[in-house]
Amino acid sequence: MPEVLVIETAYWSLSVWTKEIEKPRKQLLATHQARGNPLPETSLRFSPALAYPVIRSETGEIPVLDTQENIQLPKPVFFENRTYEFEFLFSKDVTDTAIIHPSLSVESSFRLTRGSLRGGINFGNDIGWFRLGILFWAEEHEITQHISFEVLPLKMDLQHDFRIIHGEIDRLYPLWRFSIAKKTVQEFNLQRRPHEYFPLLWLSLFNTFRIELLNAVKVIVRSPHSRLMPIIRHAKPESIRGRINAPLEEKIRAGILQNDKPCRYRLLEHRLSVNTPENRFVKMVLTQCNRKLKEFKKKAVDANASYGYERLSDSFFREIDLWQTELTQRLTDPLFREVGNDYDGMPYESIVLHHKTGYAKVYKIWQQLKLYMEFFGRESEISVKSVAELYEIWCLLEIRRLLNELGFEEEVFRSADLVNSGVEKRLRNGQGTAFNFTRSDGIKIRLAHEPLFPVNNKQHHREIISWTTPQKPDILLEAEFTDGGKIFWIFDAKYRIDPENRNHDSIPDDAINQMHRYRDALIHINDKPDGKAPQSRPVIGAFVLYPGLFAEKTGTNPYFTAINAVGIGGFPLLPGRENLWLKEFLTEKFSDPKISSLYRRPDTDDFLLHESVRIPPTGLTLSRYSDLTLVAMAKNKAPEYNKRFRNGTARWYHMPVETYGRKLAGEKTIREIRHCAIYMYDPETKERNLEFIYDVQSVKKICRLELSEEQAGDTEKNNNGNYWLFELGPSRRREMPLDLPGARFLLTGLTDILRANDWNELSNRHQVSS
């Protein structure tokens, strides 16, 4: 396949190659078409401008008419997570070639071989403008040339989606997203918002205005502001020249008449001087900028040593040294030797600083740096953290937003513990943000970012640990219900889409496998001797959040079946969209009080009834309660059938599957029932007395026509409906029959049945009764 880009100049030529370039182009087109957006323009930028370069893409030569700073490409070329091979070939007149980039990993990926510089770069999740420089000597001159192009994301819209992500993150993690020496940088539109002093942003702003500042100082040096300044000196009479005022003349005459020794007389003169407040201001600006560059370099050097590997290149530090040298050269100008260092503000409003050429520019630049505003435009660029890191934080905030829509209010917000790390911001000890929510129905939710579950079973203060390796999921959602129970879900943000699935956006297999790992690895330790299992798995669901695009209003989540069956799956999540599938999932779990017809306060049982939670190891069974008891009524049938229920010797009880599913909890709890409290209606006394409780030997589903008269009290040969058949064991008798107010179905506990004196004293398990 031909090169995707070729640039030829008088001294050098660059060829760029990658394989299967049409595949990412089609994915980019699909991403933007699905959003109804046009493809972003793709261009090359040159600094300094190139004179009559020859530029070709795989589609042919691109016409260049003049010296160019910006060349429009017919098709996008550079994409995330792709490897590109770069080769610079130099003419015979060129010597001492080198690559320039702030990142050492970029510089070290190139090597000089046979008169060319060759290197391979995979941009990974770094998107934005990639600025690559070459340094060489030609015709006894050192020449530096930079080439810039934009690396595009394939899963999102760079302009729309990431503007939303940056805005949300900046409110929660101020300044955290900015980084140093990434492969790419991003441009920023005009904004006005004060910030704390942050070296990385200050450096970006200074670089934006550096040339303007130096040029303005050149203008000032050529035509400095000066004014008549009062100067006091003392001189002998014979040294005084020119006219003198009358009072001084009288003093000199009196001194001569008195025949005193010659003395010096005080003279007040006015001379032009450049030691004005305005010039002292300009000197202060240069001095402060030079000092801050020195401080930044020291922090960057210390940070580079603390990474455990060299991350910043020598050319990055050489560029900062160059900036310092330029400022120092300006400060050594004869003008500033005559200017004092004692600038302590302007004693008056200076027309010179506001309007005079040079001074006005320096004043404006200093105000922007001093007020520390984001004043970014096309020429202002700064590295940000990778898309994967930004997407992870945004997913946390999106879940937070959806919980707010379900009526949860933030009770406590523990902001991210951000600390300065060299010239960047990081989270202290890897701990993230936690949100605590409450709702009027008593449900409490904790949403945590990157909680750490260590490997240490001796840390009794930790409820959840891992026995093998430390686990650190992206997002943990913990819900506490009014019955005291807690349920946990894990969400893991993955800025990835399976490239092999062409039918729809899907999650890579290894990301799904990681969800199985989280659910299996995390163990809840119960140290209290309360009869509960000392170890249990607290996470009932683990889900991937990924940037898939679907028509959620009309489609079905491709992971819907897996989520319901085993509690593992994923949800597409994109900025600027409703993200309905995740919202529906959360609504199903916690209900929405605003929808009164559908609202019912959930409790722990609601989540532990799901089949995905109740999958036991082969050969074992799982149950929520060890004494779950069904309260139900037996219909009047044959006399012998009725008699057995009245004297506590019944052996069988049957119930339509449809009735159980409608009145109680369907098949989710049927096999958990350990006892049956069966009562009968007495038509003579019109009483319903619950007296006997039976042990349940087995439960099975059977067709009604297969039930014998002994099992059902009669036979129905034409009824092919499904029934639950309980095989009853020995019964136990209450001391006093319990009178029931009407026909009742209920799931409760055996102890409650034996001790209750009133129907209302019975616990209602699984919140199902009638």
Side-chain angles (χ1 to χ4, degrees):
M1 183 177 179
E3 291 86 353
V4 294
L5 181 65
V6 175
I7 304 173
E8 296 179 355
T9 69
Y11 295 117
W12 55 269
S13 65
L14 167 66
S15 62
V16 183
W17 179 88
T18 188
K19 64 179 181 179
E20 298 180 357
I21 189 65
E22 288 302 325
K23 185 176 180 180
R25 282 174 178 166
K26 291 178 180 179
Q27 185 176 352
L28 179 70
L29 179 62
T31 296
H32 285 266
Q33 283 182 339
R35 291 161 171 77
N37 299 330
L39 278 175
E41 295 183 351
T42 304
S43 61
L44 295 174
R45 296 176 183 172
F46 304 106
S47 177
L50 284 180
Y52 300 100
V54 177
I55 301 178
R56 296 191 302 273
S57 67
E58 76 272 22
T59 59
E61 186 169 332
I62 301 171
V64 179
L65 304 178
D66 202 345
T67 300
Q68 295 287 334
E69 288 186 351
N70 196 317
I71 298 290
Q72 198 72 28
L73 297 179
K75 293 182 178 181
V77 175
F78 299 98
F79 307 98
E80 63 180 350
N81 293 308
R82 291 188 66 78
T83 300
Y84 292 82
E85 295 181 6
F86 295 78
E87 182 177 17
F88 287 93
L89 295 175
F90 297 92
S91 67
K92 296 180 180 179
D93 301 328
V94 173
T95 59
D96 297 333
T97 59
I99 292 294
I100 304 174
H101 193 276
S103 172
L104 182 61
S105 66
V106 172
E107 287 192 356
S108 60
S109 65
F110 284 82
R111 65 188 182 96
L112 182 64
T113 173
R114 297 179 183 177
S116 68
L117 280 172
R118 296 180 180 177
I121 299 177
N122 188 313
F123 296 105
N125 287 322
D126 292 326
I127 61 173
W129 284 93
F130 178 71
R131 189 169 184 260
L132 185 65
I134 53 173
L135 176 69
F136 58 91
W137 280 82
E139 300 179 1
E140 299 183 355
H141 293 285
E142 185 182 76
I143 301 175
T144 301
Q145 179 68 57
H146 283 91
I147 308 162
S148 300
F149 51 80
E150 197 167 22
V151 179
L152 299 173
L154 295 175
K155 310 171 190 69
M156 293 188 189
D157 184 338
L158 180 61
Q159 299 302 321
H160 176 264
D161 294 345
F162 287 101
R163 185 173 65 251
I164 296 175
I165 289 177
H166 291 164
E168 292 293 329
I169 289 177
D170 283 348
R171 282 190 285 272
L172 177 66
Y173 288 80
L175 305 176
W176 170 82
R177 63 184 170 104
F178 298 112
S179 185
I180 186 172
K182 290 288 188 178
K183 294 186 181 73
T184 59
V185 296
Q186 293 191 17
E187 297 177 343
F188 295 84
N189 297 323
L190 176 64
Q191 299 182 43
R192 293 183 180 273
R193 184 173 65 239
H195 280 306
E196 63 176 283
Y197 174 70
F198 184 49
L200 203 55
L201 277 184
W202 186 92
L203 186 73
S204 175
L205 284 174
F206 175 78
N207 188 28
T208 300
F209 302 124
R210 179 177 59 88
I211 300 301
E212 290 183 67
L213 176 63
L214 295 174
N215 290 336
V217 174
K218 284 182 182 179
V219 173
I220 293 172
V221 169
R222 287 196 298 266
S223 179
H225 170 67
S226 61
R227 66 176 57 173
L228 287 172
M229 303 290 290
I231 297 176
I232 298 174
R233 70 185 183 91
H234 295 79
K236 294 179 180 180
E238 59 268 24
S239 301
I240 300 175
R241 299 288 184 270
R243 296 180 60 182
I244 58 177
N245 56 46
L248 179 59
E249 184 179 359
E250 288 295 328
K251 287 183 180 180
I252 295 174
R253 182 173 176 273
I256 295 173
L257 292 176
Q258 293 174 5
N259 293 320
D260 290 343
K261 293 181 179 180
C263 61
R264 296 177 182 272
Y265 294 93
R266 183 177 181 272
L267 301 176
L268 176 63
E269 299 177 352
H270 287 81
R271 295 180 184 177
L272 282 176
S273 173
V274 293
N275 189 21
T276 64
E278 289 82 2
N279 288 330
R280 291 199 296 272
F281 168 79
V282 174
K283 186 175 183 179
M284 180 274 297
V285 170
L286 295 176
T287 303
Q288 289 287 343
C289 290
N290 203 8
R291 182 177 63 81
K292 288 186 180 297
L293 285 175
K294 183 179 180 180
E295 292 174 353
F296 180 90
K297 181 181 177 182
K298 182 180 184 305
K299 289 182 178 179
V301 170
D302 294 341
N304 205 33
S306 67
Y307 293 137
Y309 61 94
E310 290 190 16
R311 176 171 157 188
L312 305 175
S313 65
D314 290 339
S315 60
F316 173 78
F317 293 112
R318 284 198 300 270
E319 186 172 22
I320 295 179
D321 290 339
L322 175 62
W323 296 351
Q324 288 183 272
T325 301
E326 292 171 338
L327 294 174
T328 302
Q329 289 174 347
R330 296 291 178 268
L331 286 168
T332 57
D333 189 274
L335 167 67
F336 295 111
R337 294 186 197 143
E338 300 181 34
V339 175
N341 298 319
D342 55 342
Y343 177 77
D344 55 359
M346 298 296 297
Y348 49 82
E349 188 70 15
S350 174
I351 298 177
V352 173
L353 288 183
H354 285 286
H355 299 289
K356 188 172 181 178
T357 304
Y359 289 92
K361 177 61 71 174
V362 172
Y363 181 75
K364 179 181 178 182
I365 291 173
W366 177 249
Q367 290 303 313
Q368 290 169 343
L369 291 172
K370 177 185 175 183
L371 295 176
Y372 206 65
M373 290 179 153
E374 283 190 13
F375 195 81
F376 295 124
R378 177 189 177 281
E379 298 301 328
S380 294
E381 301 170 338
I382 188 170
S383 294
V384 299
K385 289 184 168 60
S386 71
V387 180
E389 294 176 274
L390 299 177
Y391 182 71
E392 174 186 320
I393 297 297
W394 175 80
C395 287
L396 171 77
L397 301 183
E398 182 65 3
I399 296 178
R400 174 196 184 201
R401 180 186 71 83
L402 295 175
L403 290 173
N404 285 329
E405 289 189 2
L406 293 178
F408 289 97
E409 297 181 358
E410 286 184 45
E411 184 181 55
V412 176
F413 168 56
R414 181 171 61 81
S415 62
D417 195 0
L418 291 174
V419 295
N420 291 323
S421 176
V423 293
E424 297 179 337
K425 293 278 190 179
R426 66 172 176 83
L427 298 176
R428 189 193 298 275
N429 299 327
Q431 295 300 315
T433 298
F435 302 95
N436 289 348
F437 301 88
T438 58
R439 201 166 66 177
S440 57
D441 56 7
I443 301 176
K444 299 178 181 178
I445 286 182
R446 178 176 177 266
L447 189 63
H449 174 235
E450 291 190 343
L452 178 63
F453 299 102
V455 182
N456 192 344
N457 62 328
K458 295 181 180 180
Q459 294 187 13
H460 299 291
H461 64 283
R462 294 187 178 272
E463 293 183 353
I464 301 176
I465 66 167
S466 171
W467 283 98
T468 52
T469 58
Q471 303 297 323
K472 194 176 183 180
D474 292 343
I475 302 168
L476 178 74
L477 193 157
E478 173 188 339
E480 182 177 352
F481 301 93
T482 54
D483 61 359
K486 292 182 179 180
I487 301 293
F488 297 85
W489 293 268
I490 280 175
F491 297 91
D492 216 51
K494 301 292 184 186
Y495 181 72
R496 298 166 57 194
I497 291 178
D498 188 354
E500 304 301 326
N501 191 338
R502 299 183 180 179
N503 297 324
H504 58 76
D505 292 342
S506 61
I507 305 169
D509 290 347
D510 63 318
I512 289 291
N513 293 338
Q514 189 174 353
M515 300 305 100
H516 287 279
R517 185 196 80 194
Y518 280 139
R519 189 176 61 177
D520 182 68
L522 297 180
I523 302 297
H524 181 274
I525 303 298
N526 179 34
D527 291 332
K528 299 177 182 179
D530 54 4
K532 296 181 180 178
Q535 295 182 169
S536 60
R537 290 194 170 96
V539 178
I540 68 170
F543 313 103
V544 177
L545 305 176
Y546 68 109
L549 182 63
F550 294 87
E552 294 183 308
K553 291 184 178 180
T554 57
T556 302
N557 187 350
Y559 298 96
F560 177 80
T561 302
I563 291 172
N564 287 333
V566 295
I568 298 291
F571 297 94
L573 222 61
L574 282 171
R577 301 181 69 85
E578 294 183 68
N579 298 311
L580 289 176
W581 290 342
L582 179 57
K583 182 178 180 179
E584 290 171 356
F585 173 82
L586 295 174
T587 303
E588 175 195 352
K589 301 304 177 186
F590 303 115
S591 194
D592 189 346
K594 297 187 293 294
I595 307 176
S596 56
S597 60
L598 302 177
Y599 174 73
R600 183 182 64 81
R601 186 179 70 185
D603 67 3
T604 313
D605 287 350
D606 291 333
F607 302 96
L608 299 180
L609 287 177
H610 288 279
E611 297 294 343
S612 61
V613 183
R614 302 170 69 85
I615 302 175
T618 303
L620 299 178
T621 59
L622 292 179
S623 60
R624 166 72 166 153
Y625 300 103
S626 60
D627 65 341
L628 191 63
T629 303
L630 169 65
V631 178
M633 182 177 68
K635 293 184 179 180
N636 284 302
K637 296 291 185 67
E640 187 62 27
Y641 178 84
N642 297 340
K643 179 181 178 181
R644 286 196 290 268
F645 278 106
R646 296 187 189 282
N647 59 26
T649 59
R651 293 193 55 216
W652 307 94
Y653 176 73
H654 65 290
M655 174 186 290
V657 169
E658 179 182 358
T659 300
Y660 186 88
R662 185 177 66 252
K663 299 289 187 181
L664 299 173
E667 298 188 21
K668 298 181 178 64
T669 58
I670 191 71
R671 304 188 189 282
E672 187 180 330
I673 295 174
R674 297 291 178 262
H675 310 279
C676 282
I678 309 300
Y679 64 90
M680 294 196 69
Y681 175 68
D682 190 336
E684 295 182 0
T685 61
K686 298 183 179 181
E687 292 179 348
R688 297 175 178 84
N689 292 324
L690 194 158
E691 189 172 359
F692 296 100
I693 301 99
Y694 299 85
D695 293 339
V696 174
Q697 303 293 329
S698 67
V699 183
K700 61 181 179 180
K701 186 186 294 184
I702 191 170
C703 185
R704 179 62 175 86
L705 56 83
E706 297 179 11
L707 293 177
S708 65
E709 184 174 351
E710 179 186 5
Q711 293 171 328
D714 57 17
T715 57
E716 297 182 10
K717 298 300 183 183
N718 296 323
N719 188 347
N720 58 2
N722 288 323
Y723 277 64
W724 290 114
L725 179 63
F726 294 82
E727 181 181 2
L728 305 180
S731 67
R732 65 195 75 187
R733 190 172 190 172
R734 280 177 48 87
E735 294 183 2
M736 294 290 294
L738 180 64
D739 182 46
L740 305 183
R744 297 288 177 173
F745 288 91
L746 182 68
L747 287 176
T748 187
L750 175 62
T751 303
D752 295 336
I753 289 286
L754 294 175
R755 295 180 179 177
N757 296 316
D758 184 83
W759 169 262
N760 296 322
E761 295 179 10
L762 297 179
S763 62
N764 184 1
R765 295 181 178 176
H766 300 304
Q767 288 195 7
V768 283
S769 65
S770 64

